[in-house]
């Protein structure tokens, strides 16, 4: 990588750190699992309270999606991650989640808030329960390094304080 591009990226990050985020909330969830139910109600409730919400499902598909997704994550202040029974089945959710976990520490006031929706924090932390079967599948058809990155990020999230809705 060209050293001048590293300097530009550092300068861009410094500007981002001092800029007011475009979105109050970025919600990461498995839309096929809970998108028309819980996640939709959650986003609606935040919207009614005046929060700006990044609707990342409307980002472009294809090659530009990853750069647009990173920009949306960098432009958000609070990250709600809704772990549901089928969450770990979706590689896109896991990749998006890893971006969140890599990005939020660069900003002093950004927060990740996990919501454990019909899963336990230990299911996420240890990839057990509904996460176990999904990871068996991933280990067969996904690069092992990528799987380890997912596992590490999930362990970190499982150790965070959040909202447990398993027995809700």
């Amino acid at each position: 990588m060209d050293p001048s591009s590293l300097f530009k990226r550092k300068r861009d990050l410094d500007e981002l750190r001092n800029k007011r985020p475009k979105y109050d909330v970025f919600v990461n969830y498995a839309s096929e699992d809970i998108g028309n139910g819980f996640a939709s109600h959650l986003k609606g409730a935040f919207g009614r309270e005046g929060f700006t919400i990044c609707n990342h499902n409307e980002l472009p598909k294809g090659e530009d999606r990853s750069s647009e997704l990173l920009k949306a994550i960098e432009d958000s202040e609070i990250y709600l991650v809704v772990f549901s029974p089928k969450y770990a089945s979706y590689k896109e959710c896991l990749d998006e989640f890893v971006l969140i976990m890599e990005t939020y520490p660069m900003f002093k006031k950004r927060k990740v808030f996990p919501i454990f929706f019909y899963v336990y924090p230990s299911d996420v932390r240890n990839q057990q329960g509904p996460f176990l079967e999904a990871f068996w599948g991933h280990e067969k058809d996904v690069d092992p390094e990528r799987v380890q990155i997912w596992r590490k990020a999930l362990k970190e999230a499982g150790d965070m304080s959040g909202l447990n809705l398993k027995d809700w």
Side-chain angles (χ1 to χ4, degrees):
M1 181 175 256
D2 176 20
S4 65
S5 65
L6 288 174
F7 177 74
K8 182 184 179 323
R9 178 72 178 146
K10 182 182 178 334
R11 192 179 70 232
D12 290 347
L13 282 174
D14 288 341
E15 288 173 15
L16 267 174
R17 286 185 186 114
N18 297 320
K19 181 181 110 179
R20 171 82 175 108
K22 180 177 179 182
Y23 306 106
D24 294 313
V25 181
F26 184 99
V27 186
N28 168 256
Y29 60 97
S31 57
E32 294 85 355
D33 191 14
I34 61 168
N36 292 327
F38 179 75
S40 151
H41 293 289
L42 180 68
K43 292 189 304 184
F46 273 96
R48 284 189 298 279
E49 292 300 318
F51 288 88
T52 55
I53 300 163
C54 174
N55 193 351
H56 63 281
N57 290 332
E58 294 177 1
L59 294 175
K61 302 291 183 207
E63 288 183 32
D64 284 349
R65 179 160 174 81
S66 62
S67 62
E68 289 295 319
L69 182 60
L70 180 58
K71 184 175 177 350
I73 290 170
E74 289 175 346
D75 281 346
S76 300
E77 189 163 359
I78 299 168
Y79 309 101
L80 293 179
V81 182
V82 184
F83 295 109
S84 60
K86 294 183 182 174
Y87 180 92
S89 300
Y90 300 101
K91 298 170 194 161
E92 298 81 18
C93 285
L94 293 166
D95 287 337
E96 186 175 292
F97 172 63
V98 167
L99 279 176
I100 289 169
M101 295 302 283
E102 290 174 349
T103 302
Y104 94 92
M106 294 188 289
F107 303 96
K108 290 178 183 163
K109 296 184 181 183
R110 309 286 169 97
K111 301 289 182 220
V112 174
F113 189 76
I115 298 172
F116 303 97
F117 186 76
Y118 290 104
V119 297
Y120 291 109
S122 60
D123 294 341
V124 174
R125 180 175 40 256
N126 302 317
Q127 295 90 60
Q128 61 190 27
F131 285 61
L132 182 63
E133 189 173 324
F135 270 85
W136 281 341
H138 294 324
E139 288 174 348
K140 293 176 187 169
D141 67 354
V142 177
D143 174 52
E145 187 176 330
R146 186 175 173 199
V147 171
Q148 286 309 310
I149 290 169
W150 292 339
R151 286 185 180 279
K152 182 179 180 250
L154 289 168
K155 179 169 181 8
E156 187 179 340
D159 288 336
M160 293 177 155
S161 295
L163 183 60
N164 184 352
L165 299 178
K166 174 73 174 172
D167 302 314
W168 186 46

